[in-house]
Amino acid sequence: MGRKSRYDDVSVESTSDGSWIVKRFIILALLSPCLAQLPNTTFANATATTASGTSALAAATAIMDVSVEDLWDLLVGPVSLAATTTTVEATPVPSSELIPPPPLYYPSFPSGYENPAMTKNSSWSFPADFWWGVASAAYQVEGAVKDEGRGPSIWDVLTHRGGAVDYTIANDTGDIGDNHYYLYKQDIARIAALGTQVYSFSISWSRIMPFGRDLINEQALAHYDDVINTCIQYNVTPAVTLYHWDLPVYLMNLYGGWLSESIVDDFVEYARVVFSRYGNQVGYWFTLNEPIVFCSEYPYPDGFFKKTSIPAHQQPYLCGQSALLAHAKAYHLGKSLNLTGPISFKTNGGYKIPLTDSSADALAVQRAWDFNEGWFANPVFINGDYPSTLKAYTSTFLRNFTSEEQSLLKGSADLFAHDAYTSQFFFAPDAGIDACITNSSHPHYPSCANTSYTGPTGWNIGYAADPGSPWLHIATDWVPAFLRYIHDTWKPSSIAITEFGFSVPFEQMKTLSADIQSDLPRRVYYRAYMEGVLTAIAEGVPVVGTLAWSIVDNLEWSEGFGVRFGLQYVNFSDPARPRRYKASFFEYASIFKEYAATGHAANGTMR
Ligand code: GBH
């Protein structure tokens, strides 16, 4: 795969567009660090976040003369269009598609014995109000990237503009993806047909606000009205994530996105628009998806966005600070608007197992928690502040939260929403933790926790996923301990697993739909994972819901379409993007019937 020049597509356009020179000048201004040196008054006027909405935008366009179309032309280039570009009505799912696959395990004798390895365990059941569903994210499934007024996000740029590096493999983009933007009615009908209770999707910020601020796009609001109403029509509760990584690129080039605390007010204004529009039609709210991940994306390689002079190692933590404040303020805004659905943010991580029983490995495990989950969960669930290990590291460049901010942060989540896919072993680096903490060029600095998927006996923690997901193994034995750890450490009133899933190795290389649909390793994963959840519930851990990733095969970010996480297969070679249930969807759905709070099957019943 050759590297792309960021201007390849634009120069093609310049031959057919006489305004190219002007546009190029404008975009250089937009990308230029000089922008920040404009006189304050002009800068504030051009970018003010005010209730005056479009008039502030008018000021912005007057100075920079950039339209949404310009952002596309100059930062992204041409995009592909789907075969279908109008909303498709749902048709009933044919009964032939609803026949469940043969059972995965056959009980060898009637059970009822209290053993987690048994096929049916009479001590397990889901609480009556337990909820389960499936999840997606806007850029990964929607397509229709330029349609109905959407502005570009950083992911449109990352997928279209190879800079010094190619950010995505195979030049895959989300231009068309699953075309969920037009096929959502059928998608919702299909999940409802298997009894799915919750559909968790994200809203594209740059659809609602093409520049990320000021201008509001009514067409996008109307679109999500219909997505939400369709869910309700099918008796599926909508769960909305406000931000799943698709930052409006305008804000990235304006002030570095999450690197600047300017984003806090912009995010909160976006949240206000969404909260006010959809209010209590939405059952569950998540402000941010996995800030550990999107903050660790910083620093971006050169060539995609306006350069920043902020030192690379500081960037993730500046992002984290803005993300926490944005979340907390949006949380309190939601409460002031009387939203009834729980509001939270989705953190992520895996269970961390000490490789040996040495005290150094125990310390490495603690540091790994601190620099991952603890970074965001401690401020929200413990004390309004970072873990002390992380604070020790960031103290030279990160300001302290004020006491007012600490009280905003503390308690700003109604449930602990964790994207918890897998587990890993952790251990102290060879030279010891202290030698690492004082050496900023150490490969494990600053967490100073080394990690492995291979345990002390030399065997892997579990079956490995597709090589495109090297971080993922079937490590479901650890699910009960993981949930108990969350409960004991952050003491949330309730825990939801808001993403979990598995990429079957080489599934993308299979060509027969029937082979792809018989996804045995994913079935094993979901069954074993849910048995872990049931074990934790039986032990008193308040797990209230699970959301499986994902509703359909989709764009796996930098891995493109080369890694598949769907509970439904999507044929990406077919312009109609047909969906087919994989066996794992039936497996996942069946668990809730078997262990329903009331009327679960008698002991020994064959599934
Ligand atoms: C989820 O994150 C995302 O929310 C979702 O969008 C995505 O499709 C899904 O995972 C499947 O990947 O490559 O070794 O640096 C799950 C948590 C955290 C897992 C970042 C992958 C990168 C590890 N992810 N991690 S590595």
Side-chain angles (χ1 to χ4, degrees), residues 140 244-245 289-290 293 348 421 471 499 549 556-557 565:
Q140 294 182 272
H244 197 124
W245 310 352
N289 182 68
E290 302 181 356
V293 177
N348 70 281
Y421 284 70
W471 50 276
E499 277 182 36
W549 184 270
E556 179 58 9
W557 305 111
F565 272 90

Side-chain angles (χ1 to χ4, degrees), residues 337-405:
L337 295 171
N338 297 318
L339 294 182
T340 51
I343 309 174
S344 185
F345 72 102
K346 293 166 68 192
T347 183
N348 70 281
Y351 189 58
K352 302 173 212 326
I353 308 147
L355 187 66
T356 74
D357 61 4
S358 73
S359 51
D361 287 1
L363 192 57
V365 165
Q366 183 57 51
R367 291 186 65 88
W369 286 115
D370 290 352
F371 279 81
N372 286 279
E373 283 88 337
W375 179 9
F376 294 94
N378 284 28
V380 171
F381 291 95
I382 299 185
N383 60 353
D385 209 349
Y386 299 115
S388 57
T389 47
L390 193 140
K391 252 176 105 80
Y393 167 61
T394 57
S395 62
T396 54
F397 58 85
L398 200 63
R399 71 171 180 84
N400 287 326
F401 288 123
T402 64
S403 54
E404 192 196 336
E405 286 168 342

Side-chain angles (χ1 to χ4, degrees), residues 8-70:
D8 280 349
D9 295 336
V10 172
S11 50
V12 169
E13 197 176 293
S14 67
T15 58
S16 60
D17 183 348
S19 65
W20 156 240
I21 306 260
V22 177
K23 283 185 178 174
R24 181 164 179 202
F25 174 78
I26 292 162
I27 210 65
L28 289 179
L30 187 75
L31 288 167
S32 162
C34 297
L35 186 65
Q37 291 158 18
L38 288 173
N40 270 345
T41 46
T42 316
F43 191 65
N45 189 26
T47 60
T49 304
T50 66
S52 60
T54 44
S55 64
L57 177 77
T61 50
I63 290 166
M64 297 187 219
D65 199 16
V66 172
S67 67
V68 178
E69 192 64 27
D70 289 332

